[in-house]
Each structure stands twice: as C-alpha cells, then as structure tokens.
Amino acid sequence: MSPDRLLEIASVAELVRRRAEWEAEGRRVGLVPTMGFLHEGHLELMRRLRQRCDTLLVSIFVNPSQFGHGEDLAAYPRDPVRDAELCASVGVDALFLPAPEEVYPPGFDTWIHPGMAGERACGPWRPGHFRGVLTVVYRLFHWVRPQVSIFGRKDAQQLWLIRRMARDMGLEHRIEEGPLVRDPDGLAMSSRNIYLQPEEREAALALPRTLQALAREIAAGGNPQQLLAEAWQRLRSEKLLQPQYLELVDWQDFRQLQEGETLPQDLVLLGAVKAGKARLIDNVFLRKGREVEI
Ligand code: PAF
C-alpha cells in the first residue's frame, strides 16, 4: 500500500467526524498510540492489531507533558514521512496527528494521576511522566473510542498503569499487550537508541543481559533479594552506565516484592540505565513463577 492511501487526520473535529462514519459502517476501530520515529517494535503492535479490527488508526503525537525539565522534548527524533510509509506498509488505515494546542488548549489543567504503582520503578526518576502519559492516553481514548488498543511490553509500567486507568475510569475497550522487540544484539528497541554512541550501545547491553541472567536465577529458585543486590553491584561497575534501578514487582498489583515473600504467579523484573544521552529501560517477565519471557 502506498502512503497516498493513508488517511491523515490533523484535527480532533475531523477525527470525531470520521469516527462517527466508522461507527455508522459498523467498523471495529483499533488504536495504536505512538510518539512517532517508528521502529519494528511499533510495527509489530500495528500488525497484531491489524488482525483484530476493521479500521486501524495510529496516533503520532510527541506529548510534551510526559517530558520532564531537562529531558529531550526538543531533541526527540521525528521523521513523519518515513513514519507514514512504515504505517502504510503494515496496512494502517489512518494517522491521527493532532497539534499540541488541540491536545492541550490554553488553560488546560485537568490531569490523571497514577496511584502508588506510578511511584515505583521509573516514577521517582521521571516525576510527572506517568501523569502526562495517562492524561494524553485518556484524551486519545476519549476521542477515538477504540474497541481495541495495544501497548508494548517494553514499557511495562506504562502498560500496567494504562490498564489500571482504563479499569478505574470505567473504559471498557480491550487493551492488548504487544511483545518487547529486540535488535539482533539484544537491546530492546526504542526511538531513543539513536542517541547511543557505539561504545555506549555496547555497554548498554549489560542491562538486558543482567535482567535475563537474574530472571533465570530467580526462576531456578535463587534468593531474589540477594540476586538483585549482586546484579545491582555488577551493573554499577559498568563504566559507561549510570544505573537508575533494578526492581522485582508482582505483575498483578505492581507491588515491589518483600524479603522472604513467596513468589507470586507473574513477576516482572524491571531496570533502567542512562548511557550517554539515552535513558534506557528494559524488563523480563517470569510468568507462572517459572517461564522466563525475554
Ligand atoms: O509509549 C509511548 O510512545 C507514549 O508514552 C504514548 C503511550 C504514545 C503516550 O504518549
């Protein structure tokens, strides 16, 4: 499919009008929210949702409210032409490209705050970040009214918080979980990987390797707290990395595990590091206490 066949919707008014048409035609609408500069991880979300809806809509909006002071909002990579081509190549029907003034009109001052789960893992390192994410996602859900949406497992805490927001706010559509997609060297795909110098990228591989080794050791019955402490020391000894956290949480309620606690059914090991200008996050799931999902 050529990008010419891709409908580009630039305003909320047009989106609402199109949405009404899709509804009248009985079409099931799927939404993939993104900030653009698309990579294979995003495309995999689109391919999965393509099979579950009639009209596949991708939003591209670099959401200012989820960037903190000193973060990379101005420098965030953008490539709208390539993004449109990639979307067309996986069968996306429409792009929603709202302007910041429409998403945050003058005087906008109502926000969705995450609860306790937003204060763990990335929370302390990015104050206000999840408030910005939840608010923009809520607004997208409100305008698009999708029957199904999808978020990648790479941003596990974001996925958990969006599902909890949907439940708490009574949004009934289905929120799918997409896979974490890795580059051949094992680094989780991220639009921000472009910031990495070759030697930083090499060093950054310590994050997935540490998480994967840790998950296997925990699955094999090792003491999680002791293993976490040892892994943290190893990560800290990496010269080009500034580790931010390594956490083991219960996927059911996103609660951090306590010393000596029996392992719950579904766990996720999360980590974040800074390497040069890039802040990288990664995670590994331990499903049913045993199976390790890299
Ligand atoms: O994961 C992202 O790209 C963003 O956080 C999202 C969900 C599109 C909200 O801006």
Side-chain angles (χ1 to χ4, degrees):
M1 194 198 276
S2 87
D4 313 340
R5 305 247 326 257
L6 198 62
L7 180 66
E8 294 204 357
I9 302 175
S11 72
V12 172
E14 191 189 346
L15 175 71
V16 169
R17 192 167 52 75
R18 294 281 182 185
R19 180 66 185 85
E21 285 170 13
W22 298 330
E23 185 162 4
E25 291 161 10
R27 298 178 76 81
R28 184 175 156 83
V29 176
L31 172 67
V32 186
T34 79
M35 297 208 301
F37 206 66
L38 305 173
H39 52 67
E40 189 54 33
H42 297 109
L43 299 184
E44 191 49 34
L45 300 180
M46 296 172 200
R47 287 188 199 103
R48 289 190 177 219
L49 215 60
R50 177 67 287 177
Q51 295 160 12
R52 291 169 175 72
C53 66
D54 306 308
T55 297
L56 178 57
L57 178 74
V58 170
S59 63
I60 300 184
F61 178 64
V62 181
N63 175 33
S65 73
Q66 68 187 75
F67 289 77
H69 295 296
E71 288 191 16
D72 56 342
L73 173 61
Y76 196 80
R78 295 162 211 241
D79 193 342
V81 173
R82 183 170 168 273
D83 285 350
E85 285 167 2
L86 288 172
C87 286
S89 76
V90 293
V92 171
D93 297 300
L95 285 181
F96 178 43
L97 309 157
E101 312 78 67
E102 271 215 285
V103 180
Y104 299 110
F108 180 93
D109 200 17
T110 300
W111 301 92
I112 304 216
H113 285 268
M116 287 301 291
E119 288 169 28
R120 304 200 175 96
C122 287
W125 295 94
R126 303 193 72 187
H129 169 70
F130 290 121
R131 176 186 95 140
V133 169
L134 294 184
T135 303
V136 82
V137 170
Y138 186 85
R139 282 173 79 60
L140 290 169
F141 285 169
H142 171 74
W143 289 318
V144 178
R145 291 186 290 109
Q147 271 91 2
V148 58
S149 64
I150 190 164
F151 295 85
R153 212 200 68 196
K154 207 286 243 89
D155 297 285
Q157 189 174 14
Q158 166 175 285
L159 167 68
W160 194 95
L161 291 170
I162 290 171
R163 280 186 165 157
R164 177 52 55 99
M165 170 185 76
R167 193 197 80 172
D168 290 350
M169 305 306 271
L171 307 177
E172 279 167 8
H173 82 265
R174 194 173 160 70
I175 300 179
E176 304 265 353
E177 170 185 326
L180 190 162
V181 181
R182 296 183 182 281
D183 272 320
D185 62 3
L187 198 66
M189 285 194 178
S190 161
S191 305
R192 289 186 167 100
N193 289 354
I194 194 173
Y195 299 146
L196 292 168
Q197 299 300 319
E199 64 281 11
E200 291 164 350
R201 185 173 176 114
E202 190 52 39
L205 294 176
L207 178 61
R209 287 180 187 147
T210 301
L211 289 170
Q212 290 162 18
L214 198 47
R216 289 199 188 94
E217 287 161 350
I218 294 172
N223 176 320
Q225 307 301 337
Q226 191 185 326
L227 290 168
L228 268 168
E230 289 164 7
W232 177 249
Q233 289 313 327
R234 283 199 301 277
L235 209 50
R236 276 180 44 136
S237 68
E238 290 288 335
K239 289 220 167 40
L240 296 178
L241 298 187
Q242 293 163 271
Q244 295 192 334
Y245 65 81
L246 272 184
E247 283 187 27
L248 181 61
V249 302
D250 183 345
W251 185 237
Q252 200 60 38
D253 52 11
F254 216 83
R255 188 181 44 84
Q256 213 168 335
L257 250 69
Q258 303 303 310
E259 180 82 54
E261 191 179 333
T262 314
L263 292 189
Q265 285 283 292
D266 294 327
L267 289 164
V268 59
L269 259 168
L270 305 136
V273 296
K274 269 207 87 176
K277 282 195 285 174
R279 180 178 184 276
L280 306 170
I281 58 173
D282 203 333
N283 63 72
V284 174
F285 273 69
L286 281 107
R287 305 269 188 189
K288 312 286 169 241
R290 288 282 162 273
E291 224 176 283
V292 176
E293 267 181 43
I294 307 294

